[in-house]
């Protein structure tokens, strides 16, 4: 299988159809194959190999520029306040109510930052990876000569107790007694910030999300995006190819941006009921189930188990909350390889339902809700095989 991948990737122009077919059945980790394939499938790298090195250099330089403009310069402006007061004029001071005021932007950004910070510190708590120091700390940010305010300091110093609203849009509280996969530590004291000059992987994810929110004010940051960026960053930050691993932050940012361009409608509340919104996709899970297994469909309808009770999370987070990280990554191989872009995800959701049909047909409302919100099968190969059967039976 590795030889098949190497052959396709060895051509001057990558044959996308062939690559999709190979990736659909799972990508080997060896030799950084997955990192490379994901970058192609997410339209970060073009099919012409000759363009790769110049494009990567351009994008990585651009990302450095974003860091300077959105983290370093505001940090310098804030740090200078104690020393020189010339930028605090009557037009721009911390109490200026004008929405264009730089201060107003700074405080608004802090609210977003606090929400991101809270979410990324808890990323995959069952794994030590995100708490560990990165091999390649961002020198632009961590230069010991820097006096400016970093995101880390912003979070520590900000006294704004931003009122964070839990954005569970379907208004459903989770009935399950808490998934064994996702145990939230009792206190954040378990997440000690690393000494100066080091940074943990979660801090890198925080930067990626903060810059994304700044560049996309229409959507900014919505809870759950941390679960989308986590597996991408983990994959790139563990790339065996050191030259690529070093740039995991910038490469993750652009792949995440491209992926969000395809799924962002799921995160925009005003689009919920439109044809591209999440409600339409959740209904599609049920209409597909009705086609494939009418008995099970009727049972769920009869118990008034609506797809938003479970499929909202499955679809918006691309199943990243339902399985352990290595299994999520395997599912994403197939999802990214899908040329119809995430049609296969609907079939995976249907497969998950049909694989527990006997339990669902026997269970009452409470039991079934618990099954769906804390999915019992952990063998993703079985689920993907079933989804492929459903796809072939069309």
């Amino acid at each position: 299988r590795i030889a098949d991948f190497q052959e396709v990737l060895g051509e001057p122009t990558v044959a996308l159809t062939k690559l999709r077919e190979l990736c659909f059945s799972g990508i080997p980790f060896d030799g950084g194959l997955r990192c490379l394939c994901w970058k192609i499938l997410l339209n970060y790298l073009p099919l012409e190999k000759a363009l790769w090195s110049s494009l990567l250099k351009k994008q990585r330089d651009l990302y450095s520029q974003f860091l300077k403009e959105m983290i370093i310069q505001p940090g310098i402006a804030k740090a200078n306040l104690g020393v020189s007061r010339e930028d605090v004029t009557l037009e721009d001071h911390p109490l200026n109510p004008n929405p264009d005021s730089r201060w107003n932007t700074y405080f608004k950004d802090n609210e977003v930052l606090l929400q991101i910070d809270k979410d990324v510190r808890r990323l995959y708590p069952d794994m030590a990876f995100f708490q560990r120091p990165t091999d390649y700390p961002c020198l632009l940010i961590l230069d010991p000569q820097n006096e400016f305010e970093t995101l880390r300091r912003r979070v520590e110093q900000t006294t704004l107790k931003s009122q964070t609203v839990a954005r569970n849009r379907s208004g459903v509280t989770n009935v399950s007694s808490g998934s064994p996969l996702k145990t939230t530590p009792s206190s954040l004291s378990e997440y000690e910030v690393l000494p100066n000059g080091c940074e943990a992987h979660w801090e890198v994810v925080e930067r990626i999300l903060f810059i994304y929110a700044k560049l996309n004010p229409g959507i900014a940051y919505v809870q759950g995006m941390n679960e989308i960026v986590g597996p991408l960053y983990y994959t790139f930050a563990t790339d065996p190819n050191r030259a690529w691993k070093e740039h995991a932050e910038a490469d993750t940012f652009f792949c995440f941006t491209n992926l969000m361009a395809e799924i962002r409608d799921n995160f925009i509340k005003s689009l919920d009921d439109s044809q591209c919104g999440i409600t339409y996709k959740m209904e599609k899970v049920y209409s597909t189930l009705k086609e494939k297994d009418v008995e099970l469909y009727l049972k769920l309808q009869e118990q008034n188990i609506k797809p938003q009770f479970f499929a909202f999370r499955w679809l918006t987070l691309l199943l990243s909350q339902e399985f352990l990280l290595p299994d999520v990554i395997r599912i994403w191989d197939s999802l990214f390889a899908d040329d119809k872009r995430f049609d296969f995800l609907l079939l995976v959701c249907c497969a998950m339902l049909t694989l527990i049909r006997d339990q669902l047909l026997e269970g009452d409302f409470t039991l079934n809700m618990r099954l769906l919100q804390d999915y019992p099968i952990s063998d993703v190969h079985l689920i993907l095989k079933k989804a492929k059967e459903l796809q072939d039976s069309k």
Side-chain angles (χ1 to χ4, degrees):
R1 274 183 60 70
I2 293 174
D4 291 343
F5 275 92
Q6 285 168 339
E7 189 186 329
V8 172
L9 295 166
E11 296 292 323
T13 301
V14 176
L16 187 58
T17 314
K18 237 187 232 169
L19 185 70
R20 282 191 197 282
E21 273 170 34
L22 284 173
C23 295
F24 187 79
S25 310
I27 308 169
F29 177 72
D30 312 63
L33 282 176
R34 176 175 279 126
C35 307
L36 177 54
C37 291
W38 278 17
K39 285 172 181 142
I40 297 169
L41 295 173
L42 291 171
N43 305 318
Y44 179 45
L45 284 179
L47 299 176
E48 292 77 31
K49 271 176 74 173
L51 304 173
W52 287 359
S53 58
S54 62
L55 177 121
L56 287 171
K57 182 177 181 334
K58 189 175 117 229
Q59 296 299 84
R60 290 161 179 175
D61 289 349
L62 176 61
Y63 187 74
S64 295
Q65 202 49 44
F66 291 156
L67 290 178
K68 287 175 189 155
E69 283 171 26
M70 287 168 225
I71 296 176
I72 295 174
Q73 282 162 10
I76 290 171
K78 176 86 175 359
N80 284 346
L81 273 180
V83 192
S84 70
R85 307 286 300 188
E86 73 263 15
D87 64 339
V88 184
T89 60
L90 285 172
E91 284 76 53
D92 202 7
H93 59 87
L95 299 177
N96 184 350
N98 177 354
D100 298 332
S101 149
R102 247 191 315 176
W103 279 105
N104 203 0
T105 309
Y106 180 84
F107 290 135
K108 273 208 162 49
D109 287 350
N110 271 0
E111 289 182 35
V112 174
L113 177 59
L114 286 180
Q115 180 63 61
I116 294 173
D117 188 74
K118 207 171 91 190
D119 293 345
V120 294
R121 283 171 187 260
R122 300 181 192 151
L123 206 51
Y124 286 96
D126 49 313
M127 288 176 66
F129 173 80
F130 285 97
Q131 311 309 321
R132 285 203 190 113
T134 152
D135 295 344
Y136 298 101
C138 178
L139 300 177
L140 268 177
I141 303 280
L142 295 178
D143 180 346
Q145 303 303 309
N146 287 341
E147 287 301 316
F148 70 84
E149 188 186 46
T150 57
L151 291 189
R152 184 193 284 190
R153 282 190 214 148
R154 260 175 99 155
V155 170
E156 284 165 6
Q157 290 172 6
T158 191
T159 50
L160 287 176
K161 294 282 172 277
S162 74
Q163 293 306 305
T164 49
V165 181
R167 298 193 190 178
N168 182 346
R169 301 212 308 265
S170 51
V172 175
T173 47
N174 202 336
V175 178
S176 83
S177 52
S179 160
L181 300 184
K182 302 277 169 184
T183 46
T184 307
S186 51
S187 82
L188 290 179
S189 62
E190 292 173 47
Y191 293 131
E192 291 305 314
V193 171
L194 296 167
N196 282 341
C198 302
E199 60 180 348
H201 288 292
W202 67 260
E203 294 186 76
V204 182
V205 175
E206 176 167 88
R207 258 199 311 273
I208 292 169
L209 287 165
F210 182 73
I211 288 178
Y212 178 82
K214 290 282 289 170
L215 288 170
N216 297 275
I219 183 171
Y221 171 76
V222 181
Q223 232 171 341
M225 288 181 183
N226 54 316
E227 305 290 350
I228 300 281
V229 85
L232 282 175
Y233 174 72
Y234 174 80
T235 300
F236 294 164
T238 54
D239 190 334
N241 177 343
R242 293 187 75 80
W244 288 52
K245 181 180 178 175
E246 189 177 345
H247 299 284
E249 181 175 351
D251 292 347
T252 302
F253 171 80
F254 289 107
C255 287
F256 172 67
T257 301
N258 290 356
L259 179 56
M260 282 304 299
E262 297 180 19
I263 62 170
R264 60 180 283 167
D265 294 349
N266 295 345
F267 288 90
I268 300 175
K269 191 166 172 34
S270 58
L271 292 177
D272 277 3
D273 298 320
S274 71
Q275 265 219 317
C276 55
I278 188 67
T279 308
Y280 177 78
K281 292 181 184 127
M282 290 189 294
E283 295 299 340
K284 196 105 195 286
V285 172
Y286 266 21
S287 59
T288 312
L289 179 67
K290 189 178 177 182
E291 250 172 65
K292 306 288 182 190
D293 189 339
V294 74
E295 187 188 357
L296 180 56
Y297 165 79
L298 290 171
K299 174 74 177 183
L300 295 175
Q301 288 287 47
E302 176 198 316
Q303 291 189 344
N304 203 18
I305 293 179
K306 296 183 165 36
Q308 52 266 43
F309 295 170
F310 59 93
F312 178 81
R313 189 174 75 185
W314 292 6
L315 294 168
T316 43
L317 303 182
L318 307 180
L319 296 169
S320 62
Q321 287 269 280
E322 312 315 311
F323 303 99
L324 292 167
L325 187 57
D327 295 328
V328 171
I329 287 169
R330 169 62 194 91
I331 291 171
W332 284 17
D333 287 344
S334 297
L335 294 185
F336 294 167
D338 175 21
D339 61 341
K340 298 226 172 39
R341 272 327 192 204
F342 309 119
D343 275 10
F344 188 65
L345 179 57
L346 299 173
L347 293 169
V348 174
C349 294
C350 271
M352 287 168 70
L353 293 171
T354 55
L355 285 169
I356 55 169
R357 77 184 300 272
D358 295 349
Q359 288 149 282
L360 289 170
L361 290 172
E362 280 170 29
D364 60 8
F365 176 85
T366 312
L367 202 69
N368 286 345
M369 283 295 288
R370 193 161 291 151
L371 276 173
L372 293 168
Q373 294 199 334
D374 197 352
Y375 190 73
I377 296 178
S378 56
D379 182 353
V380 297
H381 297 281
L382 180 68
I383 294 165
L384 290 167
K385 186 167 167 264
K386 182 71 183 167
K388 183 79 178 88
E389 282 169 20
L390 294 175
Q391 189 181 48
D392 295 341
S393 70
K394 277 192 167 177

